[in-house]
Amino acid sequence: MDNKEKILESALDLFYSKGYDAVGVQEIVERSGITKPTLYHYFGSKYGLLEHLVRNYYGKFEEKLEAASVYDGDLPLTLYRFVNTYFSEVLKNKKFYCLFMSMMYAGKESDMYRVVRPYALRQLKMASDLFCRAGDIIGNMNGRHEQYAVTFIGVLNHYLLWWMSQEGKAKEFISGERAFAVVHQFLYGIYV
């Protein structure tokens, strides 16, 4: 693992366990086994490190979600693929997901919120575009694709946050069967 990866991994561990504001640059470099000038060389600042960390981890997540959200004329199947991908990617990196969620609920003027906001908006747009494309088959949409997207992403995130609170049950809750159940529950009010 190179120095840049060590820094990112250490920062993720520390930001996840203590929170971004509670962690100083000195603690990150000590955990990484590198010097401050090395951190500053790669990221410029602690804020730059946070930006890079989110871009790096979320970029991979977003790429997979985009592929899963390609609408093929079957809304339930597309949503199932989306949820299954969402769950699978979260399961691969629970620390980043928890950090991302905490950042979404941070104060509007905080560094954390400023970094995560564009990513959260892109995720919402991805879901909104999916519902918009499916609008021709959903009789009661009437321009409410963004409302459905907010509700859908909210259901996924709150389900996952609840699951995260259930110690030691990761594989039980995050499965293809569970993804199907979540999609069915969501669609019951708008489609079925």
Side-chain angles (χ1 to χ4, degrees):
M1 178 181 320
D2 68 12
N3 285 339
K4 192 173 186 180
E5 290 174 16
K6 285 181 192 174
I7 297 166
L8 286 169
E9 189 175 294
S10 296
L12 177 59
D13 285 344
L14 290 166
F15 295 162
Y16 164 76
S17 62
K18 295 183 174 188
Y20 173 78
D21 291 328
V23 176
V25 170
Q26 185 63 40
E27 189 172 6
I28 296 167
V29 299
E30 286 174 5
R31 169 81 64 96
S32 304
I34 54 99
T35 63
K36 281 185 183 181
T38 303
L39 184 143
Y40 293 131
H41 166 74
Y42 286 118
F43 306 107
S45 65
K46 181 178 151 186
Y47 182 80
L49 171 58
L50 182 65
E51 287 179 311
H52 191 88
L53 187 142
V54 172
R55 182 173 47 250
N56 181 57
Y57 284 97
Y58 188 79
K60 296 169 190 172
F61 181 72
E62 186 176 57
E63 191 175 292
K64 296 204 175 171
L65 280 182
E66 283 178 1
S69 70
V70 173
Y71 180 63
D72 57 6
D74 186 336
L75 181 62
L77 180 61
T78 305
L79 290 177
Y80 169 75
R81 269 195 326 262
F82 189 92
V83 172
N84 204 39
T85 300
Y86 206 96
F87 284 3
S88 296
E89 292 305 304
V90 166
L91 190 57
K92 288 178 190 173
N93 202 331
K94 295 182 287 186
K95 286 181 186 177
F96 175 72
Y97 175 76
C98 287
L99 175 63
F100 188 86
M101 290 305 297
S102 70
M103 293 172 69
M104 285 179 52
Y105 292 99
K108 304 293 184 227
E109 294 181 21
S110 70
D111 287 347
M112 292 190 313
Y113 185 76
R114 285 197 315 266
V115 168
V116 80
R117 184 169 170 29
Y119 298 96
L121 290 174
R122 286 202 318 252
Q123 187 179 101
L124 178 61
K125 183 175 181 346
M126 187 185 313
S128 182
D129 288 349
L130 170 58
F131 284 108
C132 192
R133 288 189 300 272
D136 59 330
I137 63 162
I138 301 175
N140 66 350
M141 173 110 37
N142 297 328
R144 294 183 289 179
H145 54 279
E146 190 171 275
Q147 177 184 344
Y148 289 140
V150 167
T151 304
F152 181 63
I153 296 297
V155 165
L156 295 182
N157 286 327
H158 282 85
Y159 185 86
L160 285 164
L161 290 171
W162 173 80
W163 162 72
M164 297 283 187
S165 72
Q166 308 301 305
E167 295 296 322
K169 297 183 179 184
K171 302 273 181 190
E172 269 180 58
F173 290 149
I174 305 303
S175 66
E177 184 179 311
R178 188 68 61 171
F180 179 81
V182 169
V183 169
H184 181 74
Q185 179 183 4
F186 174 77
L187 287 177
Y188 188 79
I190 65 166
Y191 186 70
V192 179

